[in-house]
């Protein structure tokens, strides 16, 4: 799965859950998709964590980008790239290698990740 696929899935889940006319079957399918999407997102985060050589940096990054939403995770990654800080742990300044890893992780949202 790609991050763009995850974004579309999240949008569809949201639309189904907010639609008062959605059937019970549609709502069940949305919940199944949410679980699958969450598992895919965890694999994406694990890939990033495994790509960062410093365990301190990796821990701070994972804390900062962990989310149940691919959109939020990508926004958090972009914030960290621009600020150079892991927001969940503001005392950790990210090194260039970590920032490059983060840039690479979202450089192509159509690349297969998940």
């Amino acid at each position: 799965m790609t991050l763009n696929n995850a974004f579309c899935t999240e949008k569809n889940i949201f639309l189904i859950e907010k639609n008062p006319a959605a059937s019970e079957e549609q709502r069940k399918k949305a919940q199944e998709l949410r679980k699958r999407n969450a598992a895919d997102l965890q694999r994406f985060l694990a890939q990033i964590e495994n790509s960062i050589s410093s365990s301190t940096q990796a821990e701070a990054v994972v804390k900062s980008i962990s989310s149940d939403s691919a959109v939020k995770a990508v926004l958090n990654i972009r914030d960290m790239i621009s600020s150079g800080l892991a927001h969940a742990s503001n005392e950790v300044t990210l090194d260039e290698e970590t920032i490059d890893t983060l840039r690479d992780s979202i450089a192509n949202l159509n690349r297969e990740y998940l």
Side-chain angles (χ1 to χ4, degrees):
M1 179 181 279
T2 69
L3 287 172
N4 275 332
N5 294 135
F7 296 160
C8 288
T9 301
E10 287 175 7
K11 180 185 79 172
N12 290 337
I13 291 168
F14 175 80
L15 292 173
I16 290 169
E17 290 177 344
K18 296 299 178 188
N19 182 356
S23 70
E24 189 59 36
E25 184 178 327
Q26 288 174 313
R27 292 182 190 281
K28 280 184 181 179
K29 186 171 182 171
Q31 286 303 320
E32 289 171 19
L33 286 171
R34 181 179 299 284
K35 287 178 187 175
R36 197 170 336 141
N37 223 34
D40 288 342
L41 184 57
Q42 290 307 310
R43 283 193 292 277
F44 169 70
L45 297 176
Q47 270 186 319
I48 292 173
E49 182 178 18
N50 292 334
S51 299
I52 298 172
S53 58
S54 163
S55 61
T56 304
Q57 298 263 314
E59 182 181 324
V61 165
V62 169
K63 270 188 193 176
S64 294
I65 62 177
S66 290
S67 175
D68 59 350
S69 163
V71 173
K72 288 179 188 174
V74 169
L75 290 174
N76 290 339
I77 289 170
R78 287 183 176 162
D79 283 347
M80 286 191 311
I81 291 169
S82 65
S83 71
L85 292 175
H87 298 300
S89 179
N90 281 334
E91 65 273 0
V92 175
T93 302
L94 302 178
D95 61 29
E96 273 306 309
E97 180 183 345
T98 300
I99 292 173
D100 289 343
T101 299
L102 292 172
R103 274 193 191 106
D104 182 54
S105 73
I106 61 171
N108 179 357
L109 299 179
N110 285 315
R111 182 171 69 194
E112 289 288 329
Y113 291 97
L114 314 172

